């Protein structure tokens, strides 16, 4: 169980970074949020792969990892497009971070 969670975290970090590289342009999303999206995509991808019966194959689980990567690309794109960056980014109204205040 612990090995599965640790594996999902490691795969999530790699998949999150790859998703960010695949997306065109610059994403306004923190590294921590990228890693979190990658971990969530890895866990959801593993669950879907297990439901469809292709999670544990001989050798490298290509289809499972491709599914995880696609989910991570979608997740990073969604988070970057929404400006969900843990307190930074679009929609936070200037230097103070409060809507309607410029901080000057």
């Amino acid at each position: 169980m612990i090995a599965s969670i640790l594996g999902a975290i490691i795969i999530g970090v790699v998949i999150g970074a790859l998703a960010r590289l695949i997306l065109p342009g610059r994403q306004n999303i923190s590294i921590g949020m990228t890693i979190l999206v990658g971990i969530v995509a890895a866990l959801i991808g593993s669950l879907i792969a297990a439901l469809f019966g292709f999670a544990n194959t001989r050798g490298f689980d290509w289809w499972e990892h491709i599914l995880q990567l696609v989910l991570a690309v979608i997740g990073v794109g969604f988070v970057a497009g929404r400006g969900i960056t843990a307190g930074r980014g679009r929609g936070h109204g200037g230097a103070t971070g409060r809507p309607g205040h410029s901080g000057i």
Side-chain angles (χ1 to χ4, degrees), residues 72-85:
V73 168
I74 292 168
V76 168
F78 176 77
V79 171
R82 294 281 186 167
I84 304 170
T85 57

Side-chain angles (χ1 to χ4, degrees), residues 40-55 64 67-68 71:
V40 170
L43 292 171
I44 293 172
S46 292
L47 179 67
I48 292 171
L51 288 174
F52 287 102
F54 61 90
E64 180 180 5
L67 176 62
Q68 291 169 334
L71 291 172

